[in-house]
PDB file of all heavy atoms in Angstrom:
ATOM      1  N   ARG A 123     -41.207  82.282   6.003  1.00 98.00           N
ATOM      2  CA  ARG A 123     -42.472  82.813   6.363  1.00 98.00           C
ATOM      3  C   ARG A 123     -43.416  82.089   5.498  1.00 98.00           C
ATOM      4  O   ARG A 123     -43.116  81.679   4.381  1.00 98.00           O
ATOM      5  CB  ARG A 123     -42.552  84.307   6.209  1.00 98.00           C
ATOM      6  CG  ARG A 123     -41.689  85.039   7.116  1.00 98.00           C
ATOM      7  CD  ARG A 123     -41.936  85.040   8.651  1.00 98.00           C
ATOM      8  NE  ARG A 123     -43.335  85.318   9.009  1.00 98.00           N
ATOM      9  CZ  ARG A 123     -43.788  86.508   9.366  1.00 98.00           C
ATOM     10  NH1 ARG A 123     -42.984  87.504   9.491  1.00 98.00           N
ATOM     11  NH2 ARG A 123     -45.095  86.600   9.813  1.00 98.00           N
ATOM     12  N   THR A 124     -44.635  81.867   5.814  1.00 97.00           N
ATOM     13  CA  THR A 124     -45.568  81.269   5.069  1.00 97.00           C
ATOM     14  C   THR A 124     -46.206  82.094   3.955  1.00 97.00           C
ATOM     15  O   THR A 124     -46.486  81.691   2.759  1.00 97.00           O
ATOM     16  CB  THR A 124     -46.727  80.531   5.848  1.00 97.00           C
ATOM     17  OG1 THR A 124     -47.319  81.573   6.724  1.00 97.00           O
ATOM     18  CG2 THR A 124     -46.244  79.485   6.744  1.00 97.00           C
ATOM     19  N   ALA A 125     -46.400  83.398   4.293  1.00 96.00           N
ATOM     20  CA  ALA A 125     -46.865  84.406   3.396  1.00 96.00           C
ATOM     21  C   ALA A 125     -45.690  84.954   2.492  1.00 96.00           C
ATOM     22  O   ALA A 125     -44.530  85.107   3.105  1.00 96.00           O
ATOM     23  CB  ALA A 125     -47.537  85.531   3.997  1.00 96.00           C
ATOM     24  N   PRO A 126     -45.967  85.218   1.262  1.00 97.00           N
ATOM     25  CA  PRO A 126     -44.822  85.765   0.425  1.00 97.00           C
ATOM     26  C   PRO A 126     -44.231  87.078   1.072  1.00 97.00           C
ATOM     27  O   PRO A 126     -44.912  87.963   1.511  1.00 97.00           O
ATOM     28  CB  PRO A 126     -45.447  85.966  -0.889  1.00 97.00           C
ATOM     29  CG  PRO A 126     -46.605  85.247  -0.884  1.00 97.00           C
ATOM     30  CD  PRO A 126     -47.124  85.084   0.579  1.00 97.00           C
ATOM     31  N   HIS A 127     -42.973  87.167   1.090  1.00 96.00           N
ATOM     32  CA  HIS A 127     -42.259  88.423   1.468  1.00 96.00           C
ATOM     33  C   HIS A 127     -41.218  88.768   0.531  1.00 96.00           C
ATOM     34  O   HIS A 127     -40.514  87.902  -0.161  1.00 96.00           O
ATOM     35  CB  HIS A 127     -41.508  88.091   2.801  1.00 96.00           C
ATOM     36  CG  HIS A 127     -42.420  88.097   4.001  1.00 96.00           C
ATOM     37  ND1 HIS A 127     -43.478  87.225   4.225  1.00 96.00           N
ATOM     38  CD2 HIS A 127     -42.456  89.010   5.005  1.00 96.00           C
ATOM     39  CE1 HIS A 127     -44.015  87.479   5.387  1.00 96.00           C
ATOM     40  NE2 HIS A 127     -43.484  88.665   5.849  1.00 96.00           N
ATOM     41  N   ARG A 128     -40.976  89.934   0.287  1.00 97.00           N
ATOM     42  CA  ARG A 128     -39.873  90.589  -0.628  1.00 97.00           C
ATOM     43  C   ARG A 128     -38.568  90.525   0.243  1.00 97.00           C
ATOM     44  O   ARG A 128     -38.496  90.634   1.465  1.00 97.00           O
ATOM     45  CB  ARG A 128     -40.081  92.007  -0.876  1.00 97.00           C
ATOM     46  CG  ARG A 128     -41.354  92.300  -1.999  1.00 97.00           C
ATOM     47  CD  ARG A 128     -41.223  93.725  -2.506  1.00 97.00           C
ATOM     48  NE  ARG A 128     -42.251  93.721  -3.432  1.00 97.00           N
ATOM     49  CZ  ARG A 128     -41.959  93.354  -4.816  1.00 97.00           C
ATOM     50  NH1 ARG A 128     -40.812  92.959  -5.151  1.00 97.00           N
ATOM     51  NH2 ARG A 128     -43.012  93.503  -5.637  1.00 97.00           N
ATOM     52  N   ARG A 129     -37.603  90.132  -0.438  1.00 98.00           N
ATOM     53  CA  ARG A 129     -36.266  89.993   0.155  1.00 98.00           C
ATOM     54  C   ARG A 129     -35.268  90.576  -0.578  1.00 98.00           C
ATOM     55  O   ARG A 129     -35.319  90.789  -1.839  1.00 98.00           O
ATOM     56  CB  ARG A 129     -35.815  88.384   0.345  1.00 98.00           C
ATOM     57  CG  ARG A 129     -36.886  87.672   1.103  1.00 98.00           C
ATOM     58  CD  ARG A 129     -37.012  88.126   2.541  1.00 98.00           C
ATOM     59  NE  ARG A 129     -37.820  87.259   3.247  1.00 98.00           N
ATOM     60  CZ  ARG A 129     -38.148  87.442   4.554  1.00 98.00           C
ATOM     61  NH1 ARG A 129     -37.667  88.486   5.221  1.00 98.00           N
ATOM     62  NH2 ARG A 129     -38.973  86.539   5.217  1.00 98.00           N
TER      63      ARG A 129
END
Side-chain angles (χ1 to χ4, degrees):
R123 299 299 304 265
T124 55
H127 281 70
R128 289 191 172 279
R129 301 300 186 181

